[in-house]
Structures are given as structure tokens and as C-alpha cells.
Amino acid sequence: MHIALFPNTAKKHSKNIAINIREYLTAQGVSIITQDEVAEEIGAIPLSSINPEMVDFIISLGGDGTILRQMHRHPNLMAPIVGINLGSLGFMADIPVTEIYPGLQDILNGNFQIQERIMMQGQSMHNETCFAVNEIVVHRAQNPGLIDIGVHVNGLYLNTFSADGLILSTPSGSTAYSLAAGGPILTPDLNAFVLTPICPHTISNRPIVLASNQDIQVQYLSEYAPVEIIFDGFTRFTMATGEVLRVSLSPRVFRLVSLRNHDYFSTLRTKLGWAGKLKA
């Protein structure tokens, strides 16, 4: 078995945990691979020296941001991801530090499920393309005021939003930026996107849920400076006045390992601090 191990090098204890995980898994006959710049320090095989198709699992040490960073930095790695949470808030990285080794043993024993979640992709008029696990954001960037954004769905006019921007989110991303902007929570098994305006001028401009098989066209209408198109907070390009961004379902899926003693609703209650209790 080959496992790629990606620590968040910004977290001081992440490398030490990575070394301990490498020792634990190596003792059980697993080959550990990591990014080239930390391979020697961790004692793992450099990623550049192997065929990405050889990787059976990816272990991400950090939080949801670490998972997204790894996805965009190594888009050729298609293996399912195991998210170990070293921070406080993580919906995808839901394995706490205290459960690392029981969790790893469950994976070695085959006691897990793999969730396949939808992703989205965006394409500019200049044929710039990128995928998103969480969201694609159209943001006003350096413009000091609101911008006008026209939206068509399958060629039909939806609305023109005067706002700071627009968030187009997958179900995975519905608990991220979209939620902070007032969007709904979608369970990760849904085939749907959420369109959430950011600080809209008109209070009746509310988030809307769209089927994921629809083609969404987002046009920048204001005659101001270019706006930014941001994918998961990591990849970005600009869009000038009159240009259109096309957003659609990605052919790629996001594969996340789910251990049998974890469930989405439990994670949701814990991370959002819900205090509701069943009453007899």
C-alpha cells in the first residue's frame, strides 16, 4: 500500500505528528510518500519520484484548508483523502488528533467508506479553467463599491446582483464561505449548487439552490476595474467588464474517507456548537 502524507508545515506540531504516522504505517508495511521539500525531514519518499496513480490514500494533516491546498497543488492525485484535524474547525478533516491511530488501523483493516462528492468547474472567455471542491467566488477585488453581476441559468436570465460579489458553492462548501454569507447547509450527498450573493444591496436577494447539472453563466456588468475569480481560496484569475464565467459540474469527484464511527450530522453539531438535545 502507498499512502501520501501531507502535513501543514505552518503548524509547528504537524511535522512531528507526520513523522510518528510515518513510523507507525511503515512498521505495517506501508510506503509513505510526501511533498519533495519535506520528504527527507519526515523520512518519506519524494512525491516527484513516483507515479501518482500508485497512491492508494492521501492523509492530510491540518484542517479543511490543508485539504484544499493539497487538491490544488497536486491535481493529478486522485486517491481518496483522510482528513486529520489539527485545528478547531473542520468539516472535511473530521478525525481528531486523539483518534489518529485507531483511525489509521481502521483504514488498514478496511473499516471505512469512501464518500464521492460533486465538484464544480469554471471557465473564462480566455479558456482559463479550474475546479473547486468548495466554491468559486466572484469578488469585487480592488473596486471600492458594489459591482453588478448578471446571472443566467441554462440560458435563462435569473437576476442581476448588486453586491460585493457572488459565491457559487458545492454541498461541501455550503458550510464554508457560503454559510458565513447567509447560505443554507446542504448535505454532502446532494447534487446541487448554492448561489449566495455577498452583502447584496437589495435585501430580497437571497441564496438560491440550483441543480448541479445546470450551466450557470456569470457576467461582470459594471464598468469598473476587473473583478477576481477565486477557486477554493487558492487559484484565481481576473474578469473584465462584459466577460462571462461559465460554471458547471466537474467531471472529477472529491473522494473523502469516512470512518464508520463518524457521521456528518455529528460533525455538524460539534463544529457549529449546536446544543439541542433529545427530550424524553
Side-chain angles (χ1 to χ4, degrees):
M1 182 182 291
H2 295 76
I3 294 180
L5 178 60
F6 293 106
N8 182 344
T9 54
K11 296 182 182 292
K12 294 181 180 179
H13 58 307
S14 185
K15 285 184 183 179
N16 291 332
I17 294 173
I19 292 170
N20 292 335
I21 290 175
R22 191 267 303 162
E23 292 175 347
Y24 178 83
L25 291 174
T26 301
Q28 302 194 55
V30 178
S31 297
I32 301 300
I33 300 137
T34 193
Q35 54 222 41
D36 290 23
E37 59 268 28
V38 296
E40 184 175 354
E41 189 174 353
I42 291 176
I45 302 167
L47 181 61
S48 62
S49 67
I50 63 110
N51 182 343
E53 294 181 2
M54 293 174 58
V55 177
D56 298 295
F57 294 97
I58 298 165
I59 296 177
S60 173
L61 285 171
D64 289 358
T66 307
I67 292 176
L68 297 176
R69 185 180 299 109
Q70 174 268 315
M71 289 282 292
H72 284 267
R73 186 176 180 185
H74 305 290
N76 56 339
L77 287 177
M78 301 293 184
I81 295 175
V82 180
I84 296 175
N85 190 4
L86 304 186
S88 57
L89 189 64
F91 291 91
M92 296 182 291
D94 66 345
I95 301 175
V97 173
T98 55
E99 297 181 20
I100 288 177
Y101 297 103
L104 293 177
Q105 197 59 53
D106 280 343
I107 291 166
L108 295 176
N109 294 338
N111 295 325
F112 62 88
Q113 294 180 331
I114 296 177
Q115 300 176 14
E116 292 198 344
R117 302 184 179 188
I118 63 169
M119 296 170 55
M120 57 173 50
Q121 63 183 13
Q123 180 177 9
S124 75
M125 295 178 68
H126 305 288
N127 290 322
E128 298 166 298
T129 61
C130 195
F131 65 82
V133 177
N134 267 6
E135 74 275 308
I136 299 172
V137 177
V138 180
H139 193 268
R140 63 184 174 87
Q142 64 179 331
N143 292 300
L146 303 179
I147 56 172
D148 290 333
I149 306 168
V151 178
H152 286 74
V153 179
N154 285 345
L156 300 175
Y157 176 63
L158 173 63
N159 191 31
T160 297
F161 296 92
S162 293
D164 278 350
L166 202 62
I167 303 166
L168 297 111
S169 167
T170 66
S172 295
S174 69
T175 50
Y177 193 5
S178 177
L179 180 64
I185 296 171
L186 273 61
T187 56
D189 56 327
L190 290 177
N191 291 317
F193 296 148
V194 182
L195 190 156
T196 307
I198 306 170
C199 299
H201 181 266
T202 304
I203 196 169
S204 62
N205 286 171
R206 310 305 299 166
I208 182 170
V209 178
L210 302 170
S212 62
N213 62 356
Q214 294 178 311
D215 185 49
I216 305 168
Q217 303 92 41
V218 179
Q219 186 174 28
Y220 176 38
L221 300 174
S222 299
E223 295 185 358
Y224 302 147
V227 294
E228 278 193 318
I229 313 298
I230 310 164
F231 298 79
D232 289 334
F234 291 100
T235 305
R236 64 189 65 208
F237 51 77
T238 60
M239 186 165 68
T241 301
E243 292 185 344
V244 175
L245 173 74
R246 299 191 67 174
V247 177
S248 59
L249 182 68
S250 172
R252 179 173 179 172
V253 294
F254 174 53
R255 303 174 70 204
L256 188 67
V257 173
S258 175
L259 299 182
R260 296 194 186 279
N261 62 336
H262 288 249
D263 70 87
Y264 177 74
F265 297 121
S266 174
T267 300
L268 202 62
R269 290 194 304 273
T270 301
K271 301 302 180 180
L272 295 181
W274 290 350
K277 294 182 180 180
L278 288 174
K279 296 182 179 179

